Amino acid sequence: MPQQTAHVNQPYEIELVGPEHAIRADQVPFQAAFTHESGRSMTVLGFWDGERRYLARIAPPLNGRWTWRTTSDAAELDDQSGEFTAVPAEPDESRAAHGVVRVNSRFHFAHEDGTPFRPVGATVYNWIHQDEPLRTETVASLSEAGLNKLRFMVFPQAGGYVEHVPELMPFEKTADGWDVGRPSIEFFRRLDSLVADLGNHGIEADVLIFDAYDRGVFGLNELTEEQDAAYLRYLVARLGAYPNVWWSLCNEFDQMTDRPAERWTRAGELLAEIDAHDHLRSIHNWIELYDYNQPWVTHASIQNGFATEALGRASLYRDVYGKPVVLDEIKYEGDCPERWGQLSGQELVDRFWITTSSGCYASHGESFVTESGSLHIVEGGRLRGESPVRLGFLREVLEGLNVPGLDPIDKWDDPACVVGTPREQYLVYLGREAPAEWTFRLPQGHSGDRLEVGDDFAVEIIDTWNMTRTPAPETFTLTEVQRNDAYATDNAPLSLPEGEAIALLITRAAA
C-alpha cells in the first residue's frame, strides 16, 4: 500500500508501474499535479528509477489534504490519482522541517517557514565520487564544525590533484559517448541518499550541475544542449523535493569556452521553469562574471578573493545585482603551492568576517594536500585547518541576530563599514588587530529609523579567533546625534583586548 501520510517540507514519493519497455530518460515519462485543499497546486516531473519503476516526488509545503493526478503519453502512467495528508515533521526531522531556503529581505535568506538561514558554506567538489569512509567522514566533519552549506559536483572532476577515478558514472556509456537517456540508477540513488544525509545533518546541498573540469577525460563536457536539457529535467525530478537543495549551473562556467553565455541563460531559464519547488539558483565564475541580473538567477555566486581582503569591496556587488551575494570562492586555507591555496586559518577567518561586514556571505574550503596527493576541496574527509570551528562560531553569532540580515548602514562614506539594521542592531568589525579602546559611534542610515538622543545600546565584544563573547560592563546612551553619526559622549571609551581579532555586536536596549 502506498503511504497515505507525508511530512510537511519532506520528500513524499508516489510510485507507478510503467510500460514493459522503459521510457528513455531524455523524455518526460509523466507529470504529477499535486493540489492542496486550499487550492495551491504544484506540478512536478516524474522520472524513471529502473526496470518498470517510475516515481514523482514532492515536499508538501502545507499541512492538510493533498490530491494528485498524473498525465502521460504512456497509458500505464496516465490519469493515475491519489491523495495523502501532510502533517508536521517528527522531532528528529526538525533540522530540515523549516523547508526550502529562498531569498528574504532582498539580500538574505530564509526557509519556507520564515526561519532565517545564514549560510556559512564549504566546498568539496568530488565528494560524492569518493569511496567510503571518505563520504561519511566528510559530512560528519562539516557538521561537527558547524558549516551549513556544501558545494559539490554531480559530474566527476578531472585534472590537477584528482587522484581518484570513480567507477560509478551518471550515464551509460556507448560507442558514441554518454547516453543521457539511460542514467545509472545506482549512481542517482546514491546521489539521492547523500543529499538526504546532508539534510539530516542540517547542511544545504549546493549542487554544481555541469562540470568545467572534465578536461576531456570523461567526455561529460561534450553533451549537446539537448542532452543538457534532458539531464536537467532528470536531475530536478529526482532532487527537487529535497528541501536542502540549491542549484548552481556550473563552477567556473567561463572555463567552458565553447559555450556562449546565451546557452547558460537558456539552461538557467529551463531550470527555473521545471523546478516546482523553486530552489535557489545561480552560476559560479572563473574570470568573467555572469550577468546575475538575469531573472532566473536568485543570488550571485561569485569567485573573488580580492573582494574579501578589505572592508567595503564585496558590498559593491550588492549594488550591481540587488540580490544576495555569496562569495563562494575566496581562496582556501591550506598548504598547496597554488596561490589560491595558501591562506592561514587567521587569514580565511578574517575574510569571512570582512565578507559578513560587507552584507554578503562566503564559503570555506581547505587545500591541504592529503595522503592520496589530492586536496580536501577535491576529495573531502576530515577537516584539518584552524578555520572551520571558528566559522562555526561565526554562524552561531549570525544565528543569534534579531534582524533579517546585516546590511551596510552608510555605504557611501562610513570608514568603519558598520552593518546591521538602523536603530536595532549593528556589527562593527575591527579587524585582526583591534585597538586598545573604541569610542562609541554609530552611522545614521539612509533608510529605516533615525537614531535619537537617549537611545540605549548594549555592546558585546566578540573575539573572532579565540571564540569568546563578552558583554560590555555598561550600557551606552546616545547624547549627540548628527546628520551622519551618533555618539555616546558621556560614556568612556570601551576597553578592548588590543591586537586581537575583534568584532562588536551592538544591540538597542528594549525601551
Side-chain angles (χ1 to χ4, degrees):
M1 288 286 294
Q3 64 183 112
Q4 299 297 313
T5 302
H7 288 148
V8 172
N9 293 323
Q10 299 297 298
Y12 173 82
E13 189 173 274
I14 62 172
E15 179 177 346
L16 304 176
V17 177
E20 183 176 352
H21 298 288
I23 301 171
R24 287 181 55 82
D26 49 11
Q27 304 171 39
V28 177
F30 73 99
Q31 297 186 65
F34 292 83
T35 304
H36 185 254
E37 59 189 68
S38 67
R40 178 172 175 175
S41 63
M42 300 169 65
T43 298
V44 303
L45 305 181
F47 63 94
W48 175 64
D49 193 48
E51 299 179 344
R52 299 181 66 181
R53 186 171 188 256
Y54 292 81
L55 305 175
R57 292 171 176 164
I58 183 176
L62 299 174
N63 289 327
R65 179 175 174 268
W66 289 80
T67 58
W68 57 268
R69 184 173 296 276
T70 67
T71 56
S72 174
D73 292 334
E76 295 88 343
L77 303 175
D78 187 44
D79 202 29
Q80 302 294 309
S81 62
E83 66 177 68
F84 61 89
T85 300
V87 299
E90 298 294 333
D92 61 351
E93 296 176 310
S94 60
R95 291 182 179 180
H98 296 299
V100 174
V101 174
R102 298 197 177 92
V103 173
N104 180 53
S105 300
R106 192 180 185 189
F107 294 105
H108 306 289
F109 302 101
H111 291 273
E112 173 91 22
D113 68 356
T115 302
F117 178 76
R118 327 283 191 179
V120 181
T123 298
V124 185
Y125 293 127
N126 261 15
W127 162 68
I128 72 167
H129 301 286
Q130 305 304 312
D131 297 330
E132 289 290 4
L134 271 180
R135 296 197 303 267
T136 297
E137 289 177 348
T138 299
V139 178
S141 190
L142 294 171
S143 179
E144 290 167 10
L147 303 178
N148 63 0
K149 182 171 80 75
L150 177 63
R151 304 171 64 241
F152 63 91
M153 297 177 180
V154 178
F155 293 170
Q157 179 184 13
Y161 296 105
V162 179
E163 303 297 330
H164 174 75
V165 178
E167 295 181 4
L168 195 59
M169 300 297 284
F171 310 111
E172 290 185 10
K173 190 69 183 276
T174 70
D176 298 324
W178 296 103
D179 186 353
V180 176
R182 285 290 177 263
S184 166
I185 301 305
E186 182 182 0
F187 175 91
F188 281 100
R189 285 179 180 172
R190 177 200 283 180
L191 178 60
D192 291 347
S193 67
L194 294 176
V195 169
D197 191 36
L198 288 174
N200 291 335
H201 284 82
I203 301 173
E204 300 290 302
D206 198 347
V207 181
L208 299 165
I209 297 172
F210 296 105
D211 185 349
Y213 309 119
D214 190 292
R215 321 292 191 201
V217 172
F218 304 111
L220 288 163
N221 61 326
E222 299 170 3
L223 300 181
T224 66
E225 188 166 359
E226 291 73 22
Q227 289 175 312
D228 283 356
Y231 159 54
L232 263 180
R233 289 192 293 267
Y234 189 78
L235 186 69
V236 170
R238 288 204 76 109
L239 296 186
Y242 290 95
N244 61 313
V245 163
W246 297 30
W247 303 119
S248 179
L249 276 187
C250 193
N251 200 74
E252 297 188 342
F253 80 95
D254 47 319
Q255 286 211 30
M256 299 180 76
T257 56
D258 59 333
R259 298 193 179 198
E262 293 79 9
R263 179 168 170 178
W264 292 113
T265 297
R266 288 191 293 270
E269 290 172 344
L270 174 62
L271 178 61
E273 176 187 343
I274 63 178
D275 180 15
H277 294 86
D278 195 27
H279 293 281
L280 293 167
R281 302 176 298 271
S282 196
I283 186 170
H284 172 273
N285 68 288
W286 176 42
I287 295 173
E288 178 183 348
L289 287 170
Y290 184 78
D291 178 10
Y292 295 104
N293 288 308
Q294 292 284 343
W296 73 266
V297 177
T298 58
H299 66 286
S301 171
I302 295 175
Q303 174 175 194
N304 189 341
F306 178 75
T308 65
E309 291 180 3
L311 291 166
R313 293 177 182 173
S315 59
L316 296 176
Y317 288 124
R318 293 168 37 115
D319 297 332
V320 173
Y321 301 121
K323 298 175 180 180
V325 174
V326 185
L327 278 295
D328 271 319
E329 198 164 345
I330 60 175
K331 299 185 179 180
Y332 305 120
E333 179 184 3
D335 59 5
C336 85
E338 308 292 345
R339 65 178 183 175
W340 42 260
Q342 302 177 347
L343 294 183
S344 68
Q346 289 92 338
E347 289 172 320
L348 187 58
V349 171
D350 179 54
R351 289 179 183 226
F352 262 80
W353 280 91
I354 288 173
T355 304
T356 300
S357 297
S358 301
C360 305
Y361 301 92
S363 286
H364 159 272
E366 286 191 356
S367 54
F368 294 103
V369 179
T370 66
E371 289 79 2
S372 71
S374 186
L375 304 176
H376 186 277
I377 58 170
V378 174
E379 70 177 20
R382 304 294 303 179
L383 292 164
R384 304 176 179 212
E386 296 181 294
S387 62
V389 66
R390 291 167 173 88
L391 300 180
F393 174 72
L394 166 61
R395 177 187 163 195
E396 291 178 7
V397 172
L398 294 178
E399 291 188 343
L401 296 174
N402 58 22
V403 295
L406 298 173
D407 299 300
I409 300 296
D410 179 5
K411 63 184 179 181
W412 300 120
D413 195 20
D414 176 19
C417 294
V418 177
V419 289
T421 297
R423 212 180 177 212
E424 290 188 41
Q425 195 165 47
Y426 304 81
L427 182 75
V428 182
Y429 181 51
L430 300 176
R432 291 171 61 187
E433 296 186 1
E437 60 183 26
W438 176 77
T439 298
F440 191 98
R441 167 200 167 270
L442 290 175
Q444 287 280 22
H446 294 286
S447 60
D449 292 344
R450 300 284 292 178
L451 293 166
E452 297 180 3
V453 171
D455 286 347
D456 293 326
F457 291 90
V459 178
E460 185 177 32
I461 303 168
I462 300 174
D463 188 318
T464 66
W465 185 255
N466 295 309
M467 297 180 289
T468 61
R469 305 179 67 169
T470 307
E474 61 179 342
T475 298
F476 290 78
T477 301
L478 296 184
T479 55
E480 182 181 345
V481 176
Q482 302 176 2
R483 177 179 179 182
N484 297 314
D485 306 272
Y487 301 89
T489 55
D490 287 350
N491 291 90
L494 177 64
S495 297
L496 299 174
E498 184 176 6
E500 299 294 340
I502 299 298
L504 304 175
L505 184 63
I506 304 168
T507 306
R508 186 183 174 199

